[in-house]
Amino acid sequence: MIAFCYRRCTGRILIRNLDDSVIDTLKRRAAAGRSMEAEAREALTKGSVMTLDEKLAMLRDIRAHDEPLRAPRRPLVDSWISIREGRDDDDR
């Protein structure tokens, strides 16, 4: 028996009030050998690709959301200085 979690789940969408010219265009493209559903799927997939500006805006939103959770920034110090200070503290 195969568990449900191993089956690939795909989303479904119902689009109402679609303009007839869009449907006619999909039908014409589908006449070349593919189904109208395949044509619609390809068009939606291509249309859902994020632009560079959209990706950058999403990254800015994520960073703004995460900023309060970040640890306070400390100045960068060469590691040998930190090691020396730690050793000097141990000697006291």
Side-chain angles (χ1 to χ4, degrees), residues 45-60:
T45 301
K46 285 181 179 177
S48 67
V49 174
M50 292 176 66
T51 65
L52 178 60
D53 289 336
E54 291 171 328
K55 290 177 185 178
L56 292 173
M58 184 190 314
L59 285 173
R60 281 193 295 273

Side-chain angles (χ1 to χ4, degrees), residues 2-89:
I2 297 175
F4 180 75
C5 62
Y6 292 110
R7 291 176 41 197
R8 182 176 176 197
C9 297
T10 58
R12 293 175 184 226
I13 186 170
L14 172 65
I15 302 174
R16 294 190 169 119
N17 301 324
L18 193 59
D19 191 66
D20 289 337
S21 65
V22 174
I23 295 171
D24 291 339
T25 301
L26 291 173
K27 283 181 181 178
R28 266 188 262 115
R29 289 181 184 167
R34 290 177 37 173
S35 68
M36 191 169 111
E37 180 182 347
E39 291 295 331
R41 187 181 308 111
E42 183 179 345
L44 288 169
T45 301
K46 285 181 179 177
S48 67
V49 174
M50 292 176 66
T51 65
L52 178 60
D53 289 336
E54 291 171 328
K55 290 177 185 178
L56 292 173
M58 184 190 314
L59 285 173
R60 281 193 295 273
D61 291 344
I62 291 170
R63 287 183 179 149
H65 179 267
D66 289 348
E67 190 61 36
L69 305 174
R70 294 181 188 207
R73 299 197 188 266
R74 290 183 243 155
L76 296 177
V77 178
D78 284 334
S79 58
W80 68 270
I81 295 173
S82 298
I83 293 169
R84 179 78 269 157
E85 288 174 352
R87 288 181 181 161
D88 290 344
D89 291 342

